[in-house]
Amino acid sequence: MSLQVSITGEPGCGKTTVARLVAQELRADYLSTGSIQREIAAKLGITTLELNKRAETDPSIDQQVDAHTQALGDSGRAVLVDSRLAWRFLPRSLKVFLVCPPSVAAVRVFQQQRANESYTSKEQAIAALIARYDSEKARFAKYYGANLANLRNYDLVIDTSLATPKEICDAVVQAAHNMGHSHAVPATTPLLFVSPRSLVPTLTIAQVDSPQDQSTSVVPVQVVRQAQRWAVVHGHHHVIDAVKKDSALLLCQLIGQDDELLSPRVTVRSLIEARATASNLAAWEAHLGFKLP
């Protein structure tokens, strides 16, 4: 079977730019379901957000988009699909999910306004995209039982807040080549690349290098994610080294998200609330000389 790649991501993550680069590098046919949605919206004389709202009660809109995706998946050609739900319709694809903090996404969205999307401020731009994303998440959960935000749905998750499109493209292409060589079914735990400057600490500066910061995993930096916020649980000293080297991406292992249990009485959410305190974050920022997103 020819190589298939599906790319999706959060608002303002730069997925379309990355998807086009990856398709070019892999010489794959490219399909953007966002473009299809904008074409449908333009024909109806409404905005893409209005189209998404309408799709919540009119399944024929998603059916049009799904048909395009399935046709490409059945074509036998090398394909890359830039779509929220392509990972579900292309189960053998390399499933890529791009993430980005809202503060960074707002600037990007405002600066790259499309013809049928006009914003007066970056706050309005990100609010509109988040509203659209929330609409899609609710709709896909209702019709497909699919959770877009569950990182375990994907093979490769990349934080795009600091990395260039070329760096992100290279990571995706490398993963695609590795997948093609192995002929293996993708792992259930995603390969994770996070900006070290996106990781909030769950230990104090004094606890870095302590036994509780050590990891027994092959990947020394273990992280969790809750409400678009990353936190490092083990491997703080590796994060510090990466920040000092000005690294854009750091290989990490996901050990939990949202309300998953990390231990019998500790969830990801409760861990972050208890340890990522204002004073701890301020000390971390002062020690490393930068502001967390």
Side-chain angles (χ1 to χ4, degrees):
M1 186 184 72
S2 297
L3 178 67
Q4 297 179 348
V5 179
S6 56
I7 294 186
T8 186
E10 295 171 339
C13 67
K15 69 181 177 65
T16 299
T17 299
V18 171
R20 290 184 184 278
L21 286 174
V22 174
Q24 183 177 357
E25 285 289 322
L26 295 177
R27 298 182 180 179
D29 290 345
Y30 171 78
L31 171 69
S32 168
T33 55
S35 297
I36 297 171
Q37 289 176 319
R38 285 190 286 276
E39 289 176 9
I40 296 172
K43 289 178 181 178
L44 295 174
I46 59 178
T47 66
T48 48
L49 178 56
E50 290 169 334
L51 180 73
N52 274 276
K53 290 295 184 182
R54 183 176 296 190
E56 291 176 4
T57 56
D58 181 0
S60 69
I61 294 172
D62 280 329
Q63 289 167 3
Q64 294 180 61
V65 177
D66 297 343
H68 283 276
T69 305
Q70 289 177 318
L72 263 185
D74 296 337
S75 68
R77 302 193 304 270
V79 297
L80 184 146
V81 182
D82 170 3
S83 164
R84 297 278 188 233
L85 214 55
W87 56 270
R88 189 176 185 278
F89 288 103
L90 301 175
R92 296 289 299 184
S93 66
L94 172 69
K95 305 171 189 70
V96 182
F97 189 67
L98 305 182
V99 301
C100 184
S103 57
V104 176
V107 175
R108 292 177 178 173
V109 172
F110 184 61
Q111 290 176 343
Q112 67 154 48
Q113 297 190 50
R114 300 184 177 103
N116 63 339
E117 297 172 349
S118 179
Y119 310 113
T120 58
S121 68
K122 65 180 183 180
E123 290 77 17
Q124 183 192 43
I126 197 63
L129 254 72
I130 288 176
R132 176 182 168 186
Y133 187 57
D134 287 344
S135 172
E136 291 174 336
K137 285 194 294 185
R139 187 169 84 248
F140 296 151
K142 175 182 177 181
Y143 290 130
Y144 303 99
N147 181 359
L148 297 183
N150 183 356
L151 301 185
R152 301 189 196 282
N153 287 326
Y154 312 100
D155 305 311
L156 178 63
V157 178
I158 305 177
D159 173 9
T160 70
S161 55
L162 284 182
T164 66
K166 180 64 166 59
E167 289 171 322
I168 301 163
C169 172
D170 289 346
V172 175
V173 169
Q174 183 60 56
H177 286 321
N178 290 343
M179 179 180 176
H181 292 323
S182 67
H183 301 291
V185 175
T188 55
T189 300
L191 186 64
L192 204 64
F193 289 99
V194 183
S195 163
R197 293 173 182 260
S198 294
L199 288 163
V200 301
T202 58
L203 296 178
T204 66
I205 291 295
Q207 292 171 317
V208 172
D209 285 329
S210 66
Q212 68 190 105
D213 189 39
Q214 306 304 312
S215 168
T216 57
S217 168
V218 174
V219 180
V221 181
Q222 295 182 316
V223 302
V224 293
R225 195 167 195 253
Q226 189 267 323
Q228 291 186 274
R229 177 170 53 173
W230 294 104
V232 55
V233 179
H234 301 296
H236 287 71
H237 55 296
H238 292 291
V239 177
I240 291 174
D241 289 343
V243 170
K244 290 180 177 178
K245 293 176 181 176
D246 205 25
S247 301
L249 295 171
L250 178 64
L251 178 64
C252 303
Q253 179 186 21
L254 180 73
I255 61 171
Q257 57 188 335
D258 298 320
D259 291 305
E260 291 180 355
L261 284 170
L262 295 173
S263 62
R265 294 185 180 180
V266 179
T267 65
V268 170
R269 189 185 305 272
S270 66
L271 175 76
I272 293 176
E273 289 175 350
R275 295 191 185 178
T277 62
S279 59
N280 195 16
L281 300 188
W284 182 262
E285 292 174 335
H287 181 73
L288 294 176
F290 77 98
K291 286 288 184 182
L292 288 159

